[in-house]
Amino acid sequence: MPRTVLGQDPEVLLALWANVLSWLVSTFAPSLLPRLLPAACAAEEEGGIASTGDHPQQQTRCISIGRPGGSEQLRLVRLRESVATCGYNIKHFCPPPYTPPLSLDSSISIDMPEDCVIVDNEAFSVNYADCCIRWGLYESAKRFVGYPIVPGFDVAGTVSSVGSGVSAMKAGDRVFGCTLFGAYSSRVLIPSLQLRPIPKGLTMGQAAALPAVSLTALHALSLAGHYPLESKYSNRAILIHSAAGGVGSMLVQMSKILGLSPVVGVVGSSSKVEEARALGCDCVIDKSSENLWDAAETASPTGYSAIMDANGVSTLQQSYDHLAPTGRLVVFGFHSNLPMGKAALDPLQWIRMAKKAAAMPKFDAMDLCTSNKSILGFNLSFFADEAEVVSTLFDQVCRWIDEERLKVPRVVEMDMERITEAHELIQSGTSVGKIVVKTK
């Protein structure tokens, strides 16, 4: 059994202590915040980095998190010469988050895995998951990387060097895709299977906004039984929480492509209604001004074949209750369990999170059978051994983009020096679409 301290996961207790310490210092002695930063590790240069233009071309800039805590832990650092960042699925070559020095002067490199490429990364997206990583609450990050960690999944840039076994890409190709952490960086080592050519007409920022949210959405629809084969069940209604967000915007569009109807989108404020409607929702429910579940019953009186829920405790039980027979509840997040708008987690936030965790609904296996309903959950950051599955999803996403059936979500671009502001914006819950950070 896993080791516990006072009945709790010691890593959670460490995260609690680290976040409370960050909150105490930021509230009562902000001038001491720099003292909370850990020392630079061997791959990082001491002293951080001055500005975008103040670094040698062979040196990578990245955002490193040295321990759990508040936004002060988002350190913009410069790595030692020829070192790049990487995900955890190339542990056979090196442990994350940093590579050993690589040959960056050659278009074909023999000192890196033969199936990988080096990407001069120009843009990466910011996800709410990245805030959870910083707080020390993201399970795959803790399990497979630890600290220091370079967060981030989405990349878009130019191939600078390829492994000896890569034939589908060459230096100079414009690519986008996913890495299993390590994306907050200007240079990333990535398996080529996780990358695709950037579709014609997309900017680097738009390309960086797409991979994680689109792959999450399509896998969710696959679990719901609507992809790759068309569902034969009579009910084809779908309800999508956070329909104007990153994953939600993809779910709405893909649901329309796959012929689901009605597509009912839920948003949290009136400012997001038109965005959700423009994406293709047949009905938009503004839960800030109307009763969510009364409106959901009106939109589809017989229930829903699928409900997409990343909210957590605030909606899970009602989402399940509003499934039609044979319906599937797909869970891929727990946003309402976590704080919004907080850079550092104070003691009261931890108490609230504990109460919400205790209030999470529990589902009876016998009821699942007699009601003919299903609950499925996933997190793609655990899919290191499912590269072919994700690659097939990525191919479909690219086809829809090329056919102009799938639109890029609204993109807000920021510079790398504004990473703290980017985290604060996504934590606020007021962002629409995707936040993208440019590395140069």
Side-chain angles (χ1 to χ4, degrees):
M1 292 183 63
R3 182 171 61 91
T4 63
V5 176
L6 301 176
Q8 300 296 320
D9 180 348
E11 291 186 348
V12 172
L13 295 177
L14 176 62
L16 187 158
W17 162 246
N19 279 279
V20 170
L21 180 61
S22 287
W23 171 76
L24 286 170
V25 174
S26 64
T27 303
F28 300 106
S31 63
L32 299 180
L33 277 173
R35 297 190 181 185
L36 297 183
L37 298 177
C41 71
E44 300 170 358
E45 285 202 344
E46 295 284 354
I49 186 166
S51 67
T52 301
D54 183 29
H55 64 287
Q57 189 172 357
Q58 296 284 53
Q59 289 187 269
T60 301
R61 299 192 319 147
C62 68
I63 305 296
S64 173
I65 300 173
R67 71 158 180 83
S71 58
E72 81 283 348
Q73 294 300 320
L74 294 166
R75 298 183 303 128
L76 177 54
V77 301
R78 180 169 52 223
L79 302 184
R80 300 196 182 278
E81 188 169 338
S82 302
V83 172
T85 60
C86 63
Y88 75 82
N89 59 326
I90 55 171
K91 279 187 175 180
H92 59 286
F93 174 67
C94 66
Y98 305 127
T99 69
L102 302 169
S103 297
L104 302 178
D105 297 323
S106 173
S107 61
I108 299 179
S109 177
I110 60 172
D111 64 354
M112 67 180 186
E114 63 178 17
D115 64 335
C116 289
V117 304
I118 297 172
V119 175
D120 287 340
N121 190 33
E122 295 186 28
F124 59 83
S125 77
V126 177
N127 297 286
Y128 189 79
D130 304 335
C131 300
C132 298
I133 293 169
R134 195 189 75 235
W135 290 327
L137 299 176
Y138 205 68
E139 182 60 32
S140 57
K142 295 189 299 175
R143 187 182 305 181
F144 302 124
V145 183
Y147 294 95
I149 185 171
V150 176
F153 303 105
D154 298 314
V155 299
T158 304
V159 174
S160 63
S161 186
V162 302
S164 59
V166 176
S167 59
M169 295 178 186
K170 63 183 185 303
D173 286 352
R174 299 172 74 247
V175 296
F176 74 129
C178 283
T179 175
L180 292 173
F181 307 112
Y184 279 30
S185 172
S186 64
R187 183 178 287 114
V188 191
L189 178 68
I190 310 178
S192 61
L193 189 64
Q194 296 167 209
L195 299 168
R196 295 292 184 278
I198 293 179
K200 184 179 179 180
L202 293 190
T203 66
M204 288 290 185
Q206 290 174 322
L210 280 166
V213 293
S214 60
L215 296 173
T216 298
L218 189 52
H219 186 64
L221 287 164
S222 175
L223 292 182
H226 295 295
Y227 176 84
L229 300 177
E230 181 182 346
S231 170
K232 301 301 181 184
Y233 291 120
S234 57
N235 187 306
R236 296 180 60 78
I238 183 169
L239 186 142
I240 301 165
H241 291 284
S242 302
V247 177
S249 66
M250 293 290 108
L251 281 167
V252 171
Q253 295 181 77
M254 291 177 182
S255 295
K256 297 297 287 186
I257 291 171
L258 297 172
L260 303 185
S261 180
V263 176
V264 179
V266 181
V267 297
S269 68
S270 57
S271 63
K272 298 183 179 183
V273 170
E274 287 306 315
E275 182 80 12
R277 189 170 288 127
L279 288 165
C281 288
D282 299 307
C283 172
V284 180
I285 300 171
D286 176 9
K287 63 182 180 182
S288 70
S289 62
E290 58 186 319
N291 183 283
L292 163 57
W293 299 111
D294 287 349
E297 290 168 9
T298 300
S300 182
T302 59
Y304 292 86
S305 69
I307 296 182
M308 302 294 173
D309 195 330
N311 286 336
V313 65
S314 65
T315 55
L316 276 179
Q317 183 63 60
Q318 286 277 27
S319 289
Y320 175 79
D321 293 342
H322 284 79
L323 290 173
T326 73
R328 303 182 188 185
L329 170 59
V330 182
V331 181
F332 53 93
F334 302 91
H335 292 170
S336 67
N337 291 44
L338 299 165
M340 299 297 287
K342 297 289 184 179
L345 304 185
D346 59 51
L348 185 58
Q349 293 292 339
W350 286 93
I351 293 171
R352 288 172 177 163
M353 284 193 290
K355 290 177 65 176
K356 289 177 179 178
M360 284 286 284
K362 297 175 176 58
F363 299 96
D364 188 329
M366 185 175 293
D367 180 64
L368 293 174
C369 294
T370 56
S371 63
N372 288 286
K373 298 178 180 180
S374 303
I375 305 171
L376 305 103
F378 73 99
N379 183 324
L380 289 182
S381 69
F382 287 88
F383 276 38
D385 295 328
E386 305 298 341
E388 291 292 341
V389 171
V390 178
S391 181
T392 300
L393 297 175
F394 206 173
D395 287 339
Q396 180 62 73
V397 167
C398 290
R399 282 194 291 271
W400 283 338
I401 295 171
D402 289 338
E403 295 165 358
E404 299 184 350
R405 303 177 73 187
L406 195 62
K407 299 177 183 177
V408 181
R410 185 190 302 183
V411 172
V412 177
E413 293 188 357
M414 296 183 175
D415 295 329
M416 214 167 177
E417 287 78 6
R418 297 172 63 193
I419 189 61
T420 297
E421 184 182 341
H423 270 231
E424 290 172 351
L425 178 57
I426 202 164
Q427 286 172 220
S428 71
T430 61
S431 61
V432 177
K434 290 292 294 181
I435 300 169
V436 170
V437 174
K438 303 299 288 291
T439 67
K440 58 175 79 172

